[in-house]
Amino acid sequence: MLQAQRRARIIELLRTEHAVSMHDIVDVVGISISTARRDVDYLCGAGLLVRTHGGAMLEASGLKTLEPAPEIAVAMASREKLAIGRWAASLIQPGQTVIFDSGTTTGAAALAARDRNIPFTAVTNDLTIGAILAGSGIIHTTVTGGQVRPGSATLMGATAVQMMGRLRADLAFVGTHALTQETLSDTSTELADIKSTILHAAERIILLADSGKFFSTAFCTFGRLADVHLIVTDDKLPTEHGAAIRARGIPLEIVPSSLLDKQVRP
């Protein structure tokens, strides 16, 4: 298992259990005790975990503003993100205009959309997503201007916001760091600014969020759950969370990771 995959698995475990012992990490992740200690020390140094007696727990306040390194974020819930992305990409119709918000799950949607080999117009504020879509000879791709967020492929700032604000797309695939029954939130005001703009830039807003994002909050609110026309998530979402979302009248699509093993489309 790669280093980033190990550390992603530890964060996923703690999102479920909230606090674990070192021996739990060793058993679940399948690593040695010395490797577990090094990985936990790294994640504590990054502000994501706190050491406890014999183990670790999530640093709740840190998770509101801090994010895992990009290579760890990609590895977190990777199979679930690929399944969500594949399902989402199947919604695109030839000739449509589609906004791809920056992120790993929206990136999975971009990859699946490229592989569908249909013509459409794409706009994104993500350099990695732009490169993925540019690999197609029939997708017309525009990447916003703006400032590159340090340590990531995200473009943000006034230029990116202004460009998104001029659009009226058919679909927008939006990611979030956290969501509650009321709000969507992310880790910085700059990210919140562009995400808020995207929410008003398309006829249909589709939120792509793995189950680990549900019912938590991040630093800055960028929209309401009521702004979303459809939420797509994975089948690890607790039943009560799904019921709470649907009770608010928000359509929710739960995608099994087994979708990756099939050729069918929703």
Side-chain angles (χ1 to χ4, degrees), residues 80-204:
E80 289 77 15
K81 290 176 181 177
L82 287 172
I84 292 168
R86 181 175 172 186
W87 197 96
S90 72
L91 300 175
I92 301 172
Q93 299 298 313
Q96 286 188 321
T97 300
V98 184
I99 296 172
F100 291 85
D101 180 22
S102 182
T104 52
T105 311
T106 51
L111 184 63
R114 183 198 66 189
D115 291 346
R116 285 192 62 197
N117 200 35
I118 61 171
F120 65 93
T121 297
V123 181
T124 184
N125 65 315
D126 189 296
L127 296 173
T128 299
I129 291 175
I132 288 170
L133 296 172
S136 167
I138 59 174
I139 299 173
H140 183 273
T141 304
T142 297
V143 177
T144 69
Q147 299 156 341
V148 180
R149 189 183 190 207
S152 78
T154 303
L155 291 165
M156 56 191 190
T159 302
V161 169
Q162 288 170 8
M163 181 171 182
M164 287 294 187
R166 291 160 50 195
L167 300 179
R168 198 59 184 168
D170 296 297
L171 299 177
F173 295 126
V174 181
T176 186
H177 191 76
L179 66 106
T180 69
Q181 291 170 261
E182 299 284 346
T183 62
L184 309 171
S185 56
D186 223 292
T187 55
S188 76
T189 56
E190 295 86 357
L191 287 175
D193 284 344
I194 192 156
K195 288 175 182 288
S196 177
T197 303
I198 293 172
L199 290 180
H200 299 92
E203 296 291 339
R204 192 176 186 204

Side-chain angles (χ1 to χ4, degrees), residues 8-20 48-49 57-58 63 66-68 73 76-77 81 176-178 210-214 216 238 241:
R9 186 69 186 91
I10 291 170
I11 294 174
E12 289 173 342
L13 175 63
L14 281 160
R15 277 182 166 175
T16 302
E17 303 297 333
H18 305 298
V20 297
L48 298 170
L49 305 185
M57 62 185 292
L58 284 177
L63 286 175
L66 298 174
E67 299 178 54
M76 290 176 63
K81 290 176 181 177
T176 186
H177 191 76
D210 68 78
S211 56
K213 306 289 180 64
F214 278 69
S216 61
H241 288 182

